[in-house]
Amino acid sequence: MKNTTPGIHRGTLRRFRAELEEVMRTVRHLRSAIALLSWDQETQMPPKATERRAQQMSTLENLVHRELISPRVQRLAARAERIFPHLPERDQRMVRLFLREHRRATALPPSLVEELARTQTLAVASWRYAKKENDFYLFAPYLQRLIELKRKQAECYGYAEHLYDALLDLYEPGMRLSTIHPLIRQLAQRMQELLQWTRQIPYQPPTMLPPAPCAAQFVLGRHLCVAIGFDPERGRIDYSAHPFCTALAPNDVRMTTRCSEDEPRTCIYSLLHESGHALYDQNIPDELADTFAGDGASMGIHESQSLFWEDIVGRSLAFCRWAAPIWRQYLNGMLNTPWTHLTAEQLFRALNYVQPSLIRTEADEVTYHMHILLRLEIELALLEGNLRVKELPEAWNSGMDRLLGLHPPDDRTGCLQDIHWSLGEFGYFPTYSIGKLYAAMFWKQLQRDVPDIEERIASGEFELVLSWLKQHIYAVGALETPQEIVQRVTGRTLTIEDFAEYIAAKLQHVYSATL
Amino acid sequence: MKNTTPGIHRGTLRRFRAELEEVMRTVRHLRSAIALLSWDQETQMPPKATERRAQQMSTLENLVHRELISPRVQRLAARAERIFPHLPERDQRMVRLFLREHRRATALPPSLVEELARTQTLAVASWRYAKKENDFYLFAPYLQRLIELKRKQAECYGYAEHLYDALLDLYEPGMRLSTIHPLIRQLAQRMQELLQWTRQIPYQPPTMLPPAPCAAQFVLGRHLCVAIGFDPERGRIDYSAHPFCTALAPNDVRMTTRCSEDEPRTCIYSLLHESGHALYDQNIPDELADTFAGDGASMGIHESQSLFWEDIVGRSLAFCRWAAPIWRQYLNGMLNTPWTHLTAEQLFRALNYVQPSLIRTEADEVTYHMHILLRLEIELALLEGNLRVKELPEAWNSGMDRLLGLHPPDDRTGCLQDIHWSLGEFGYFPTYSIGKLYAAMFWKQLQRDVPDIEERIASGEFELVLSWLKQHIYAVGALETPQEIVQRVTGRTLTIEDFAEYIAAKLQHVYSATL
């Protein structure tokens, strides 16, 4: 990036930067406070504080919005647009991020913002109730209203090709339905073929691991996270009902996990997943932290990092070779179970066998994309008006049958399983598959750059992996778009080929009786 | 309070209230977020997050200030002053609290606010360093500058009698130096006499309790807090370096304690102290929570509650009769120490013997007020220019000699022991003694209202005490001034007599060989 500033006075540039930095810092610090209120709610808050906590968070959200539409920020945005052509490239990139936030905040009339917030609150509450009561129709009227509002929201933001793009852009800037829809369809098709292939193999890998006490799982998980590079002096690990990672700043990154005695994989692999997010968040350059470039580049890029560490590194045979002795060391003698005999191969197979299942968050790497395709096509049909809300359960169930040959016994394990739609998060689901595709592309490039990478992983040299990711991905924060990052790192645009190749190669191992 | 609204249109009143409530709610929710950022810093935050946490908190403080001086709030304040005479009494009280906040925020020029914040940050850092290095002169230049700024601050706020009143008013609204200075002098004089008396008694009570493991102390302390009325579903208890209590809302009140194996009194009585604050905070009516009446009425009234539970109830013989079996139950068999033999009388005496000591926070109820008088007179002399900062250690040491016959061996245990001055908290110390005087006045009234109160305490009927405090003190939040509360509850104005009587009666017991 150039450092010269042709056509702009140095004092003007300095003042402009100072004002822009102050606005971004205010918004970022408010968002850090919201992140803390939210983390605290999931991990520390007294049970009876729920109601006012929601109000406190909403007040701070409103202050962010008020700041972004304030007359001062309006004037700053106008100035930014005027001087944009004269700015150095790095400033231009920052200004683009600022203008995106500003335009998003001003695009919606206050009445729509208010109604969206109110409807989402009701929708989440009714979704919880409907899930508990196992009855989609308790949720349906709120979902109906939310879809109408999301359509309006998309119209306010504007789009070039399809209404869906305006929503997708909130999570994956620059991505379009016309790119992602065919890709995910092809991906699901390839995964179908792979699934059929696994079913024809005579050898079927073991699927079970022994139980282990929660406390032992937690310290084992923590050990693995720290080993791959999570810095416990700049973050924390706690329990919560649903695992998540949140960053208050690069020096304060907090992840959580959950634990079930019978299923140690959940705790350990939730932690490795969240570690991927946490490593990204901890390693964004500190000078970007209080700017709009201080987050990851997109949901897809962020998810590429969690899946990179959870699936590509964490479920590899190389990683299992390094990790199996540590599993044995931490779980040995616990609950009188045969952890002493755990081999790398046994662990590797138990982490990678393929099995269609009802719940997306429990799906394996192959069938996962069928879950995403189902959601993408349903939300698209809902937004386009080609599917009525009351027909959703039927569409869901027939999709599950078509894609995975499964028949959800009820709404709870069917179309009510995910919280996303109740939060108004339409356009979010595809970023999970996109993240997976990015991750495989990055992995292929890393293999090219470091040919013996698997041996290095098997001997626990994770610093090598982390420094590669820092240099190629983390260092730019959100200063580059997801497309720019992928192009720069891999020399290519989004493709399903690397993922398909990676997963097929892995399954060859998983489903071969000898390794 | 009247509900009629003569001379004001109902719609006007409704709109005014709505706008006032919205401003207060915004400020209160920002302050709740600041409280959480601060609690988190002391209890949960990763060690390397310190620097940016300070910046985040400062941003939110600035947003509070920006809100209170905004054109919208300026207009609201002008309207409030115009319609004030036509408002019902309750609204008038709320408006007074609002105008006090608004005037305080607008009274100081931004340059002074900024310099105060910067100087305090440096002063706290240099105080910590000076205390660690045991050298007052490392702190002196920052204290010097801070005193100059506090004088300017007081001049900006204005005062009727003495510059000190403007600062005292921040913590104890309506209180004046001309009231409190003679009272604390007399109080210290009476305590001197009492101290001399205890020294002439042949019987000297036991001063030691056995050690106990920290975890056992913590659960014992928690048991006692819950027994007196702390609701653990609307609050939390954690460890921190310095015990404190903070309220995010009445349903989210958090206190902390610290623990030393050798000195179980510290953990238990820190918890009872913080419980007093917590009970006040948990029982402020929920409809006041998001208003400027949602805190305690003043520091003095708040401290009256912590001292009421810690000292007056908690260190009473009646309480010890109830609590001694619980101490035995929790600590029995721990560390092979003689907890099985602990009697109520032994506990009572070990909690109440009098002994001059160097450190304020460890002082007994008698000598405590000498520590306060020393600090009050020194800060007064500094502000008046009658004492130069470089002469402070000498003034401190000669005061300790005169008041308590002690000679601090160094600055660390002398004039550097408290953080308050480095935080710019001049005018704060007297509220500790004021709180003690209020507490004794409330206790005397409670004894009148419930003549068998001590027997009720001995049988653990704390609900009676709590409901009395709720009804008489907690119910009004800050809608009444401290003076109004004390006058209404006790029928009298601030006096040292109730405290002097209470402590003399107690010491008669402590220093008698038979009970």
Side-chain angles (χ1 to χ4, degrees):
Chain A
M1 297 180 193
K2 285 177 280 175
N3 259 326
T4 52
T5 55
I8 186 168
H9 189 274
R10 275 176 73 179
T12 310
L13 181 61
R14 202 176 51 238
R15 279 191 304 277
F16 172 74
R17 277 179 179 155
E19 205 175 327
L20 179 59
E21 278 163 14
E22 208 258 307
V23 168
M24 293 193 294
R25 189 167 53 242
T26 301
V27 170
R28 292 285 292 174
H29 287 180
L30 274 168
R31 286 183 177 156
S32 295
I34 294 167
L36 180 61
L37 287 160
S38 170
W39 172 84
D40 182 80
Q41 179 168 32
E42 302 302 325
T43 60
Q44 313 285 342
M45 192 182 74
K48 290 188 178 162
T50 311
E51 197 181 329
R52 184 159 278 113
R53 175 58 54 92
Q55 296 163 5
Q56 290 161 344
M57 287 169 67
S58 152
T59 296
L60 266 64
E61 299 276 11
N62 285 341
L63 284 170
V64 169
H65 189 248
R66 235 168 70 181
E67 176 76 11
L68 287 171
I69 65 168
S70 68
R72 190 170 68 114
V73 172
Q74 299 269 17
R75 283 190 301 271
L76 187 65
R79 241 167 84 206
E81 283 175 4
R82 261 197 322 275
I83 65 171
F84 185 86
H86 311 292
L87 290 173
E89 190 187 339
R90 192 184 162 95
D91 291 275
Q92 286 189 335
R93 289 175 176 276
M94 196 62 90
V95 162
R96 258 189 228 119
L97 294 169
F98 161 67
L99 289 175
R100 189 173 75 192
E101 290 268 10
H102 173 63
R103 281 176 196 146
R104 265 191 203 148
T106 49
L108 308 184
S111 60
L112 180 58
V113 173
E114 198 275 321
E115 200 180 348
L116 264 168
R118 193 157 33 83
T119 309
Q120 277 167 27
T121 305
L122 293 170
V124 170
S126 73
W127 169 77
R128 282 191 212 283
Y129 182 59
K131 192 172 178 181
K132 183 168 157 283
E133 296 290 317
N134 204 5
D135 181 359
F136 174 77
Y137 295 98
L138 295 170
F139 173 51
Y142 302 94
L143 181 59
Q144 178 63 52
R145 183 72 193 126
L146 213 39
I147 290 164
E148 289 158 18
L149 295 172
K150 295 306 281 189
R151 274 198 213 109
K152 282 190 194 169
Q153 185 183 10
E155 294 296 344
C156 290
Y157 291 146
Y159 49 86
E161 289 179 9
H162 194 286
L163 178 136
Y164 192 85
D165 293 340
L167 303 176
L168 181 58
D169 193 76
L170 292 171
Y171 311 109
E172 197 60 21
M175 188 55 73
R176 294 203 173 166
L177 180 68
S178 59
T179 303
I180 197 62
H181 195 181
L183 276 181
I184 295 181
R185 256 198 315 240
Q186 288 163 37
L187 181 60
Q189 178 57 38
R190 295 275 278 274
M191 294 305 108
Q192 282 284 7
E193 293 159 18
L194 209 51
L195 175 61
Q196 295 316 319
W197 174 82
T198 64
R199 287 180 160 168
Q200 292 155 15
I201 304 284
Y203 172 80
Q204 290 295 311
T207 60
M208 300 289 287
L209 288 179
C214 285
Q217 292 179 29
F218 190 89
V219 290
L220 164 61
R222 194 176 195 280
H223 178 109
L224 301 179
C225 295
V226 172
I228 66 173
F230 178 76
D231 180 352
E233 297 212 313
R234 303 193 294 130
R236 294 177 51 95
I237 310 176
D238 296 85
Y239 288 113
S240 69
H242 303 281
F244 66 93
C245 176
T246 191
L248 278 73
N251 286 349
D252 193 348
V253 176
R254 301 172 181 210
M255 54 178 171
T256 67
T257 187
R258 64 196 162 108
C259 232
S260 129
E261 203 171 271
D262 291 336
E263 190 36 275
R265 281 169 286 199
T266 303
C267 173
I268 306 302
Y269 278 80
S270 293
L271 277 177
L272 287 174
H273 181 96
E274 302 309 334
S275 286
H277 291 302
L279 290 175
Y280 196 176
D281 290 329
Q282 283 192 334
N283 290 294
I284 286 189
D286 198 67
E287 68 272 18
L288 295 181
D290 287 339
T291 76
F292 292 163
D295 278 323
S298 70
M299 289 295 164
I301 298 287
H302 234 305
E303 203 64 16
S304 81
Q305 294 312 298
S306 54
L307 296 170
F308 188 91
W309 287 102
E310 179 194 359
D311 290 344
I312 297 187
V313 174
R315 295 182 199 269
S316 68
L317 183 55
F319 188 86
C320 291
R321 291 207 162 114
W322 169 77
I326 305 171
W327 283 66
R328 291 198 301 265
Q329 178 196 329
Y330 276 89
L331 307 183
N332 193 9
M334 299 281 180
L335 300 179
N336 296 318
T337 50
W339 284 108
T340 38
H341 305 299
L342 180 79
T343 64
E345 290 71 22
Q346 186 189 353
L347 185 59
F348 172 66
R349 288 198 173 97
L351 288 167
N352 288 294
Y353 70 92
V354 177
Q355 175 77 61
S357 64
L358 292 170
I359 308 295
R360 175 185 60 85
T361 56
E362 296 166 7
D364 57 75
E365 291 181 78
V366 171
T367 58
Y368 191 88
H369 300 290
M370 273 82 111
H371 291 274
I372 297 303
L373 181 63
L374 175 65
R375 286 156 178 76
L376 166 58
E377 297 199 330
I378 285 180
E379 65 185 19
L380 197 55
L382 288 168
L383 285 166
E384 286 175 337
N386 295 328
L387 178 70
R388 284 183 298 176
V389 166
K390 66 174 184 182
E391 300 163 342
L392 200 160
E394 203 191 308
W396 185 283
N397 294 339
S398 77
M400 283 300 280
D401 184 23
R402 178 171 43 90
L403 293 165
L404 290 167
L406 295 175
H407 304 91
D410 52 21
D411 294 341
R412 192 184 286 151
T413 55
C415 64
L416 283 177
Q417 65 181 269
D418 292 311
I419 197 175
H420 301 58
W421 288 334
S422 74
L423 288 166
E425 290 177 344
F426 293 81
Y428 192 109
F429 283 119
T431 66
Y432 292 119
S433 284
I434 296 172
K436 206 55 192 280
L437 300 180
Y438 288 155
M441 293 175 76
F442 293 146
W443 173 242
K444 177 147 194 167
Q445 188 60 42
L446 174 58
Q447 286 178 306
R448 279 190 189 134
D449 291 353
V450 187
D452 63 343
I453 187 65
E454 293 185 72
E455 290 95 273
R456 311 292 282 268
I457 287 173
S459 53
E461 294 172 57
F462 301 107
E463 175 54 30
L464 193 76
V465 183
L466 184 57
S467 63
W468 188 91
L469 293 169
K470 275 191 212 178
Q471 182 195 337
H472 291 94
I473 299 168
Y474 305 165
V476 297
L479 282 178
E480 292 183 10
T481 67
Q483 295 79 23
E484 285 172 327
I485 291 173
V486 171
Q487 183 70 45
R488 176 176 49 74
V489 177
T490 70
R492 290 169 303 148
T493 56
L494 185 60
T495 170
I496 65 168
E497 295 309 324
D498 294 359
F499 177 76
E501 191 182 299
Y502 143 81
I503 192 70
K506 180 151 77 168
L507 291 185
Q508 285 289 348
H509 277 96
V510 174
Y511 284 84
S512 103
T514 54
L515 273 170
Chain B
M1 300 181 192
K2 286 176 280 177
N3 258 327
T4 52
T5 55
I8 187 167
H9 190 275
R10 275 176 72 181
T12 310
L13 182 60
R14 201 176 52 239
R15 278 191 305 277
F16 172 74
R17 277 179 180 155
E19 206 175 326
L20 179 59
E21 276 162 15
E22 207 257 306
V23 168
M24 293 193 295
R25 189 167 53 242
T26 300
V27 170
R28 292 284 292 174
H29 286 180
L30 273 169
R31 286 182 177 157
S32 295
I34 295 167
L36 180 62
L37 287 161
S38 170
W39 172 84
D40 181 80
Q41 180 169 31
E42 301 303 324
T43 61
Q44 314 284 343
M45 192 183 74
K48 291 189 178 162
T50 311
E51 195 180 329
R52 184 161 276 113
R53 175 58 53 93
Q55 296 163 6
Q56 290 161 343
M57 289 170 66
S58 153
T59 295
L60 266 64
E61 298 277 10
N62 285 341
L63 284 170
V64 169
H65 190 250
R66 234 168 72 180
E67 176 75 11
L68 287 171
I69 64 168
S70 68
R72 191 169 69 115
V73 172
Q74 300 269 17
R75 285 191 299 271
L76 186 65
R79 241 167 86 205
E81 283 175 3
R82 261 197 323 275
I83 65 171
F84 185 85
H86 311 292
L87 291 173
E89 190 187 340
R90 192 184 161 95
D91 291 276
Q92 286 189 333
R93 290 176 175 276
M94 198 60 92
V95 162
R96 260 190 227 116
L97 293 169
F98 162 65
L99 290 175
R100 187 172 78 191
E101 290 267 13
H102 172 62
R103 282 178 196 142
R104 264 191 204 148
T106 49
L108 308 184
S111 60
L112 181 57
V113 172
E114 197 274 321
E115 200 179 349
L116 264 167
R118 194 156 34 82
T119 310
Q120 278 166 27
T121 305
L122 292 171
V124 170
S126 73
W127 169 77
R128 280 190 214 283
Y129 183 58
K131 192 171 177 182
K132 183 167 157 283
E133 296 290 317
N134 204 7
D135 181 0
F136 174 77
Y137 295 98
L138 295 169
F139 173 49
Y142 301 95
L143 181 59
Q144 178 63 51
R145 184 70 193 128
L146 213 40
I147 289 164
E148 289 157 19
L149 294 172
K150 293 307 282 188
R151 274 200 212 105
K152 282 191 194 169
Q153 186 183 9
E155 295 295 346
C156 291
Y157 290 146
Y159 49 86
E161 290 179 8
H162 193 286
L163 177 136
Y164 191 84
D165 293 341
L167 302 175
L168 181 58
D169 194 76
L170 293 170
Y171 310 110
E172 197 60 20
M175 187 54 74
R176 292 199 175 171
L177 181 68
S178 59
T179 303
I180 197 63
H181 195 183
L183 276 181
I184 295 180
R185 256 197 316 241
Q186 288 162 40
L187 180 61
Q189 178 57 36
R190 295 275 278 274
M191 293 305 107
Q192 281 284 6
E193 292 158 21
L194 208 52
L195 175 61
Q196 295 315 318
W197 173 82
T198 63
R199 286 180 162 168
Q200 291 154 15
I201 304 284
Y203 172 81
Q204 290 295 313
T207 60
M208 299 290 287
L209 288 178
C214 285
Q217 294 178 30
F218 190 89
V219 290
L220 164 59
R222 193 176 195 280
H223 178 109
L224 301 179
C225 296
V226 172
I228 66 172
F230 178 75
D231 181 351
E233 296 212 314
R234 303 193 295 129
R236 297 177 49 97
I237 311 177
D238 296 85
Y239 287 113
S240 69
H242 303 281
F244 66 92
C245 176
T246 192
L248 278 72
N251 286 349
D252 193 350
V253 176
R254 302 173 182 209
M255 55 177 171
T256 66
T257 187
R258 65 198 161 108
C259 231
S260 128
E261 204 172 89
D262 292 335
E263 189 38 275
R265 281 169 287 199
T266 303
C267 172
I268 306 302
Y269 278 78
S270 294
L271 277 177
L272 287 173
H273 181 96
E274 302 308 333
S275 286
H277 291 302
L279 290 175
Y280 196 176
D281 290 329
Q282 283 192 334
N283 290 294
I284 287 190
D286 198 67
E287 67 272 20
L288 296 181
D290 287 339
T291 75
F292 292 162
D295 277 323
S298 69
M299 289 294 163
I301 298 287
H302 234 303
E303 202 64 16
S304 82
Q305 295 312 298
S306 53
L307 295 171
F308 189 91
W309 287 102
E310 179 194 359
D311 290 344
I312 297 186
V313 174
R315 295 181 200 268
S316 69
L317 183 55
F319 188 87
C320 290
R321 290 208 163 112
W322 169 77
I326 304 171
W327 282 67
R328 292 198 300 266
Q329 180 195 326
Y330 276 89
L331 307 183
N332 195 8
M334 298 282 179
L335 300 180
N336 295 320
T337 50
W339 284 107
T340 39
H341 304 298
L342 180 79
T343 65
E345 291 72 20
Q346 186 190 352
L347 185 58
F348 172 66
R349 287 198 173 98
L351 288 167
N352 287 294
Y353 72 92
V354 177
Q355 175 76 61
S357 63
L358 293 170
I359 307 296
R360 175 184 62 83
T361 56
E362 296 166 8
D364 57 75
E365 290 181 79
V366 171
T367 57
Y368 191 87
H369 299 290
M370 273 82 110
H371 290 275
I372 298 303
L373 181 63
L374 175 66
R375 285 156 180 76
L376 167 58
E377 299 200 329
I378 285 179
E379 65 185 18
L380 197 54
L382 288 168
L383 286 165
E384 286 175 335
N386 295 327
L387 178 70
R388 284 183 295 177
V389 166
K390 68 175 182 181
E391 299 162 343
L392 201 162
E394 203 191 308
W396 184 281
N397 294 339
S398 76
M400 283 300 281
D401 184 23
R402 177 170 45 86
L403 292 164
L404 290 167
L406 295 175
H407 304 93
D410 52 21
D411 294 341
R412 193 185 286 151
T413 55
C415 63
L416 284 176
Q417 66 181 268
D418 293 311
I419 197 174
H420 300 58
W421 289 334
S422 74
L423 288 166
E425 291 177 345
F426 293 82
Y428 192 109
F429 283 119
T431 67
Y432 291 119
S433 283
I434 295 171
K436 206 55 192 278
L437 300 179
Y438 288 154
M441 293 176 75
F442 294 146
W443 173 242
K444 179 149 192 164
Q445 188 59 42
L446 175 58
Q447 285 177 308
R448 281 191 186 132
D449 292 353
V450 187
D452 64 342
I453 187 66
E454 291 185 73
E455 290 94 274
R456 310 292 282 269
I457 288 172
S459 54
E461 293 172 55
F462 301 106
E463 175 53 29
L464 194 75
V465 183
L466 184 58
S467 64
W468 189 90
L469 293 169
K470 274 191 214 178
Q471 184 194 337
H472 291 94
I473 300 169
Y474 305 164
V476 297
L479 281 177
E480 293 184 9
T481 67
Q483 295 79 24
E484 285 173 328
I485 291 173
V486 171
Q487 182 71 43
R488 175 175 50 73
V489 177
T490 70
R492 291 169 303 148
T493 56
L494 184 61
T495 170
I496 65 167
E497 296 308 324
D498 294 0
F499 178 75
E501 194 181 294
Y502 144 81
I503 191 71
K506 180 152 76 170
L507 290 185
Q508 284 289 349
H509 277 96
V510 174
Y511 284 85
S512 103
T514 55
L515 273 171

